[in-house]
Amino acid sequence: MSDRTLRAAGGPGGRGRVLVARLDDAGDVLLAGPAVRAVAAHAAEVVFLAGPNGRAAAELLPGVDRVLTWRAPWIDHTPPPVGREQVDDLVARLRGIDEAVILTSFHQSALPLALLLRLAGVARIAAISNDYPGSLLDVRHRWDESVDVPEAERMLAVARAAGFPPPAGDDGKLAVQHPLPDITAITGHFFGVGAEADKGSYVVVHPGTSAPARNWPAERHRQAVRELTEDGHRVAVTGTERDLTAYVAGDEAADLGGATTLAELAAVIERASVLVAGNTGPAHLAAAVGTPVVSLFAPVVPAARWAPYGVVTVLLGDQQAPCRDSRARTCPVPGHPCLSQVTSEQVVKAVRELTQ
């Protein structure tokens, strides 16, 4: 009997319909993957509650049966006003959930969502909460936020505390569902098909991030692309900002800007030898498909928590820069020294190390 059939029949633990929530961005959702698989090993159905920026990632996670989307006013980067209609809609959609595991970052509170889950009739709720939760949580998992632990492990600890240990043989790494989409129509024009497009036949450079403070300058990206091609690599430039990808690709690289869904991007990265990217969702996507990463990491959040997890990584950027741990979305230090001091030569050297 397949795992899916077992779960449909109530699963080995008979835990019913369990909601896992992570309401921020795609990378955060991908890092929740090990926790989701732990829940899925014991639940009849796993419903994932994501924010709009995380939905596509949630749909890629093994173990997720259904995805709900809601824009949380206490988490979204451009928060909507709190409205009765939106709250009532979410509460109605949450009815029928038996248990919930709320996953949050260290600076987020699980309690607003816990309140809404209570209003929806959810009987058992687990989350990290160092604030007093009253009757909002059944499993209050305390966590020392002064200690830097990889985010994937922190979230898996919540699942364990809620009584969802990972299944036997699970390696605890990030993962996506397979098979991924056929990307021949996207990459075939640039890199060929068949053996020519096998794993390791090109380098992916992803210049965009969700926050300016995490950006390596576009000119440096463009220079690195040029030097990577001179070093013998074929290069694909990915992202949603088409002006940026076109500039970075120049005449040397394949510009795939705006050409992929998240699942297709996963397939593009899976075939690459290396991904060059900042602290952004595709770096975690690379970890999920086993592709090494040259991580241009701004220390506004700790690399020990947020660097690509479980995959070979070369970390570039001054991790002791004055912006360290500031959580800034726009660089607070003139000249953006943590990343502006990283050279294209360093990137090329890192790619060479990872491909030899």
Side-chain angles (χ1 to χ4, degrees):
M1 183 181 289
S2 70
D3 290 344
R4 184 67 58 170
T5 303
L6 280 169
R7 287 172 53 197
R15 298 288 287 269
R17 181 177 291 121
V18 183
L19 179 123
V20 178
R22 182 80 202 211
L23 287 164
D24 33 19
D25 293 330
D28 309 298
V29 171
L30 291 167
L31 286 164
V36 168
R37 297 196 304 273
V39 172
H42 306 273
E45 181 184 11
V46 174
V47 179
F48 197 102
L49 180 63
N53 294 330
R55 181 183 180 95
E59 291 172 341
L60 284 176
L61 292 181
V64 170
D65 298 293
R66 182 160 54 98
V67 180
L68 301 178
T69 306
W70 195 66
R71 190 177 170 199
W74 61 92
I75 288 180
D76 199 276
H77 298 309
T78 54
V82 179
R84 177 67 178 268
E85 182 178 348
Q86 290 80 6
V87 169
D88 287 347
D89 173 68
L90 178 64
V91 169
R93 288 191 287 148
L94 293 174
R95 297 196 189 282
I97 299 294
D98 298 300
E99 300 186 48
V101 177
I102 303 173
L103 303 175
T104 53
S105 184
F106 71 97
H107 57 85
Q108 298 166 347
S109 173
L111 299 185
L113 179 58
L115 175 60
L116 300 183
L117 288 165
R118 284 290 191 233
L119 294 177
V122 179
R124 188 171 187 270
I125 304 171
I128 288 176
S129 183
N130 291 329
D131 294 326
Y132 174 62
S135 59
L136 295 180
L137 298 180
D138 301 284
V139 179
R140 178 193 185 186
H141 189 52
R142 296 175 184 268
W143 192 264
D144 183 355
E145 300 292 11
S146 68
V147 179
D148 289 333
V149 173
E151 187 70 1
E153 296 178 15
R154 182 177 174 276
M155 288 190 277
L156 182 57
V158 181
R160 287 181 184 274
F164 297 103
D170 193 304
D171 62 9
K173 294 183 178 181
L174 307 193
V176 293
Q177 294 185 34
H178 283 81
L180 291 169
D182 182 355
I183 56 168
T184 302
I186 298 170
T187 62
H189 173 69
F190 301 104
F191 300 132
V193 295
E196 287 187 2
D198 284 346
K199 172 80 173 177
S201 62
Y202 53 86
V203 172
V204 171
V205 174
H206 190 92
T209 66
S210 62
R214 302 179 184 185
N215 285 345
W216 194 43
E219 312 82 59
R220 295 285 176 84
H221 276 101
R222 182 180 171 100
Q223 185 176 358
V225 165
R226 182 168 58 250
E227 293 177 12
L228 283 167
T229 58
E230 291 171 354
D231 204 44
H233 300 281
R234 295 191 293 178
V235 180
V237 180
T238 59
T240 58
E241 302 163 81
R242 295 187 181 186
D243 290 345
L244 175 62
T245 61
Y247 175 76
V248 169
D251 296 326
E252 287 80 19
D255 177 14
L256 304 186
T260 63
T261 64
L262 191 68
E264 290 167 341
L265 179 60
V268 170
I269 294 172
E270 184 176 47
R271 289 189 181 180
S273 57
V274 176
L275 170 73
V276 178
N279 179 20
T280 187
H284 303 300
L285 205 55
V289 297
T291 297
V293 181
V294 176
S295 178
L296 297 155
F297 200 97
V300 290
V301 293
R305 297 181 188 231
W306 297 102
Y309 181 72
V311 71
V312 177
T313 301
V314 175
L315 197 70
L316 299 178
D318 181 3
Q319 300 307 301
Q320 303 302 317
C323 64
R324 181 183 180 188
D325 296 342
S326 67
R327 289 174 38 213
R329 293 184 59 79
T330 301
C331 182
V333 182
H336 197 26
C338 68
L339 287 182
S340 64
Q341 294 178 12
V342 176
T343 66
S344 55
E345 290 84 0
Q346 288 175 289
V347 169
V348 173
K349 179 182 177 184
V351 169
R352 192 180 300 143
E353 290 173 356
L354 293 174
T355 55
Q356 290 179 347

